[in-house]
Amino acid sequence: MDKKKPTAKGRLGNGSRLDDTSGNAQRARLLAYLRQHGSINTFEAIRLLNILRPGARIAELRAQGHDIRTHLATLADDQGRAHPNVATYYLSADPVGKVAA
């Protein structure tokens, strides 16, 4: 899948500002990314979306009713070092009767 990169002005294609570190902004970026790409791992969330603790944002999205599944695997970081139990998150379906973050 083609991973969306931030633009020169620090915005993603969906208009979300990468420098907005509020929980609401992080949840919105993460949910938009999952809807567009289907999955994201911890390294990608940190690097592409400027979300320092993606697991916390995932927990909050789940509490809002989003069906997000987790798969743990050994993944390499940007320097090629292997890390065990890195989470990859998959959006299964949008919640019924809930307002998106």
Side-chain angles (χ1 to χ4, degrees):
M1 272 183 197
D2 195 28
K3 302 295 181 186
K4 185 160 281 230
K5 302 278 187 198
T7 64
K9 293 186 179 184
R11 290 183 182 267
L12 293 174
N14 64 6
S16 179
R17 292 190 51 87
L18 287 173
D19 60 354
D20 185 347
T21 58
S22 69
N24 284 337
Q26 289 182 36
R27 284 188 297 277
R29 286 195 302 269
L30 185 53
L31 188 57
Y33 191 94
L34 285 169
R35 285 179 172 152
Q36 183 172 5
H37 300 283
S39 69
I40 191 167
N41 68 49
T42 299
F43 295 143
E44 293 167 339
I46 293 168
R47 185 178 66 249
L48 299 176
L49 304 180
N50 192 28
I51 298 174
L52 185 60
R53 295 185 56 223
R57 303 296 81 85
I58 291 292
E60 293 162 357
L61 289 171
R62 286 177 176 147
Q64 292 176 356
H66 297 281
D67 187 10
I68 300 172
R69 306 296 167 96
T70 303
H71 174 75
L72 300 177
T74 299
L75 297 177
D77 63 19
D78 291 340
Q79 290 76 38
R81 297 175 294 225
H83 295 266
N85 297 316
V86 176
T88 298
Y89 303 103
Y90 299 89
L91 182 63
S92 295
D94 280 332
V96 177
K98 296 263 186 170
V99 176

